[in-house]
Amino acid sequence: MDIKSKHSACQVDSLCYQMNNYSRGINYFAGIESVDPTLTIPESWADNSNRIIQRSSTERAKSSQLRSDSDNCINDCANRIWNAWNFSNSALARRTNEILETKNKLQMHLHKTQQEIFDVEKNIELLRKAIQDKSAPIRVAQSRLEARMHRKDVELCRDGPQLRLVSEVEGLKLSLSQLHQKLSEAERQHQQLTLTKSKLEQDLHVKSNSLFIDRESCLGLRRTFPMSAANR
């Protein structure tokens, strides 16, 4: 506004300066010298311009400071975001390594458990076969004892063969009892191993899913920083 006024004043004063006795448009304006349309004196005119200049300088300084503060704020925010992004990536990478290490351990234990189940199943088969193999000898021994019960009179003697047959039957029964006990223990162990295998497989599935989410979904989306280098 002040620039426009001064530009207009310059044009008027330039016109007045160039005006002479031969200029067009000169005329009589009776009593105009008695009219005082002025609003300022040189001192107030200079003060007004100086105030405007000072205000302009102050506002420009404020604007410059604001822009500087804004730039600092933007850079600070960008640095914080960059650091947070790096920290998150590092945390995800560490967690991925932890999950991968645990997953490998689970796979190793699962393999060992499967091998142990296989060995226990073989042992169960051997125990069942051993029990089956003992059934014929014990039937023979008991049949011999039953047959010797048909001896007559004094021939029903508790002789050496009788004692050996009784001892044989008792020994076979003890062996069968021990085999059945071992078979029960092996079957319980097989059930426990099967349950452990199921838990390992379930945990392995969970770990694989977590690994996919952290390594593929999360880290895969964070391979590049989502801001331009200028903003950083």
Side-chain angles (χ1 to χ4, degrees), residues 39 41-42 132 165 193-194 209 226:
L39 299 177
I41 60 176
Q132 185 178 3
L165 285 170
L193 286 170
T194 302
N209 184 62

Side-chain angles (χ1 to χ4, degrees), residues 38-95:
T38 58
L39 299 177
T40 60
I41 60 176
E43 289 78 7
S44 62
W45 174 85
D47 288 342
N48 180 69
S49 296
N50 289 334
R51 281 197 305 271
I52 293 174
I53 292 172
Q54 183 62 38
R55 187 182 306 119
S56 172
S57 178
T58 301
E59 293 301 326
R60 283 186 289 106
K62 288 182 179 179
S63 177
S64 177
Q65 184 62 44
L66 179 61
R67 284 186 289 105
S68 177
D69 292 343
S70 297
D71 288 341
N72 291 335
C73 181
I74 291 171
N75 290 332
D76 183 61
C77 289
N79 288 332
R80 289 184 182 182
I81 294 172
W82 171 254
N83 291 333
W85 185 77
N86 278 329
F87 291 152
S88 296
N89 276 4
S90 298
L92 281 169
R94 286 194 302 271
R95 185 57 177 165

Side-chain angles (χ1 to χ4, degrees), residues 148-162:
R148 296 195 89 225
M149 290 177 63
H150 296 286
R151 290 176 295 169
K152 302 294 184 180
D153 299 330
V154 295
E155 293 303 320
L156 283 170
C157 179
R158 192 175 180 81
D159 53 10
Q162 183 75 12

Side-chain angles (χ1 to χ4, degrees), residues 40-187:
T40 60
I41 60 176
E43 289 78 7
S44 62
W45 174 85
D47 288 342
N48 180 69
S49 296
N50 289 334
R51 281 197 305 271
I52 293 174
I53 292 172
Q54 183 62 38
R55 187 182 306 119
S56 172
S57 178
T58 301
E59 293 301 326
R60 283 186 289 106
K62 288 182 179 179
S63 177
S64 177
Q65 184 62 44
L66 179 61
R67 284 186 289 105
S68 177
D69 292 343
S70 297
D71 288 341
N72 291 335
C73 181
I74 291 171
N75 290 332
D76 183 61
C77 289
N79 288 332
R80 289 184 182 182
I81 294 172
W82 171 254
N83 291 333
W85 185 77
N86 278 329
F87 291 152
S88 296
N89 276 4
S90 298
L92 281 169
R94 286 194 302 271
R95 185 57 177 165
T96 297
N97 290 334
E98 291 172 359
I99 295 174
L100 183 60
E101 182 180 354
T102 303
K103 179 175 175 286
N104 291 335
K105 288 181 180 179
L106 287 171
Q107 287 177 327
M108 180 184 66
H109 283 284
L110 178 60
H111 175 72
K112 290 182 177 180
T113 301
Q114 289 172 331
Q115 182 62 45
E116 187 65 25
I117 289 174
F118 176 76
D119 293 340
V120 170
E121 287 175 347
K122 285 181 61 177
N123 188 43
I124 288 174
E125 291 178 4
L126 292 174
L127 287 170
R128 287 174 178 170
K129 186 176 185 305
I131 290 172
Q132 185 178 3
D133 291 343
K134 291 288 187 297
S135 62
I138 196 170
R139 287 201 306 271
V140 170
Q142 288 178 340
S143 296
R144 285 172 175 172
L145 281 173
E146 195 278 333
R148 296 195 89 225
M149 290 177 63
H150 296 286
R151 290 176 295 169
K152 302 294 184 180
D153 299 330
V154 295
E155 293 303 320
L156 283 170
C157 179
R158 192 175 180 81
D159 53 10
Q162 183 75 12
L163 294 174
R164 291 303 305 165
L165 285 170
V166 171
S167 176
E168 182 183 355
V169 170
E170 289 176 349
L172 288 169
K173 289 175 69 176
L174 178 61
S175 296
L176 278 173
S177 176
Q178 292 174 342
L179 287 171
H180 278 293
Q181 181 180 353
K182 293 297 182 183
L183 179 60
S184 297
E185 292 175 358
E187 288 174 340

Side-chain angles (χ1 to χ4, degrees), residues 99 200-212:
I99 295 174
L200 284 170
E201 289 174 338
Q202 181 180 2
D203 198 19
L204 188 60
H205 174 73
V206 172
K207 292 292 185 294
S208 297
N209 184 62
S210 298
L211 185 63
F212 176 80

